Amino acid sequence: MLNYLSKRLLISIPTLIAISVVIFAILALAPGDPMAEFASNPSITEEVKENIRKALGLDQPIYIRYVKWAWAFIQGDMGYSFTSKSPVFGLILQRLPTTLWIVGTSYILSLLIAFPLGIISAIKRYSGIDQLVTTFSFMGISLPPFFSGLLFIIIFSVQLNWLPFIYNSTLQVNDWTSLIEQIKQSIMPIAVLSLYQSALLMRFIRSSILDELNQEYVRTAKAKGLKSFSVLMVHILRNALIPVVTLIALDIPKIFTGALITEQVFRVPGIGALLIDSIYKSDTPVVMAITFIYAILIVIFNLIADLTYSWLDPRVRLSIKS
């Protein structure tokens, strides 16, 4: 296992280096100028603009800028924002609690909904429950988050006036009243994300379990007298979780990097909204940091998924040892 882990880590390092080079090159060559905000300001002379460009390192060749950025990133320095002049790490840290609260809560809720409904739908195939769950999952997948978000705003904010449609980033929870307000303003973005994610997970879980129900080992276990519940929990579910683990491993990094569309619809001041704003303003250090952190998390959770396979399927464990 240690040999397998060390090999995967050695593969991950050049993978991350290649990803960082590609992202940095795309951002450096993309249209847009970080100095554009100063263009309309007549009080800033060309000499001052040139000094600012030198201070930001924009006058240097792209490969030198990349090496400096990479070395600083390894040391924990993500640089400074071109627009706010604040440390990038501080900007991300400032937005992270909101993103973890909204996206993290919605994902946990999605798992709590998807697993029992997906399992029941597979076991009760073609029943009324299966038809209901399948309809719900297809509806959730078919409705994009921006559309369901606007639909929620029209119904619950405009028509019924139950919930606020703009997230109040200045709200501080210090009593029961502020706690209730925090919950109320979080309901719609969490519900929109949960609707889509739980529908997607349900389809995967249902499909994976159905693939396992007709396997030989299931019939053999039932022929030996094992109860259906034991066969499901001990054998079927364990094997069916392998493709589901892959999907979850690819989705978990989104909890840390935010939901781009939903945060824009509800004006949630999370990392996703920060990324969109930084792209509009050509704020390369912020965009680079967020995208590369997302790449690192993808690689880490893929590695965790591979290690989880060895626990779920003994055949994978044997192949790793060999």
Side-chain angles (χ1 to χ4, degrees), residues 35-167:
M35 304 296 295
E37 61 175 315
F38 302 113
S40 58
N41 192 341
S43 62
I44 299 179
T45 63
E46 290 297 328
E47 184 180 356
V48 173
K49 291 179 185 178
E50 188 63 28
N51 290 335
I52 294 174
R53 187 177 294 275
K54 289 180 180 179
L56 295 175
L58 297 175
D59 62 321
Q60 298 174 339
I62 184 173
Y63 61 90
I64 294 179
R65 287 156 52 193
Y66 170 76
V67 171
K68 286 185 174 181
W69 173 86
W71 179 245
F73 191 92
I74 293 172
Q75 295 176 317
D77 180 10
M78 299 180 187
Y80 288 83
S81 168
F82 286 164
T83 56
S84 66
K85 310 303 183 292
S86 303
V88 175
F89 181 75
L91 291 175
I92 294 174
L93 206 61
Q94 184 182 2
R95 303 288 189 107
L96 186 59
T98 303
T99 294
L100 291 178
W101 162 244
I102 297 295
V103 185
T105 303
S106 67
Y107 200 79
I108 292 172
L109 186 61
S110 301
L111 293 175
L112 294 176
I113 294 171
F115 268 94
L117 290 182
I119 294 169
I120 293 171
S121 178
I123 296 173
K124 304 289 184 179
R125 190 179 184 184
Y126 302 133
S127 66
I129 296 176
D130 181 32
Q131 299 280 348
L132 190 63
V133 171
T134 302
T135 303
F136 170 75
S137 62
F138 275 126
M139 182 182 69
I141 295 172
S142 302
L143 291 175
F146 74 87
F147 180 80
S148 56
L150 293 175
L151 196 63
F152 275 40
I153 289 173
I154 293 171
I155 295 173
F156 297 107
S157 294
V158 178
Q159 299 293 334
L160 299 175
N161 198 25
W162 287 354
L163 302 169
F165 63 89
I166 294 180
Y167 194 93

Side-chain angles (χ1 to χ4, degrees), residues 216-234:
E216 290 289 341
Y217 73 87
V218 176
R219 289 194 286 268
T220 302
K222 289 181 178 179
K224 289 181 178 180
L226 291 176
K227 294 181 180 180
S228 298
F229 182 78
S230 299
V231 175
L232 172 66
M233 299 304 295
V234 177

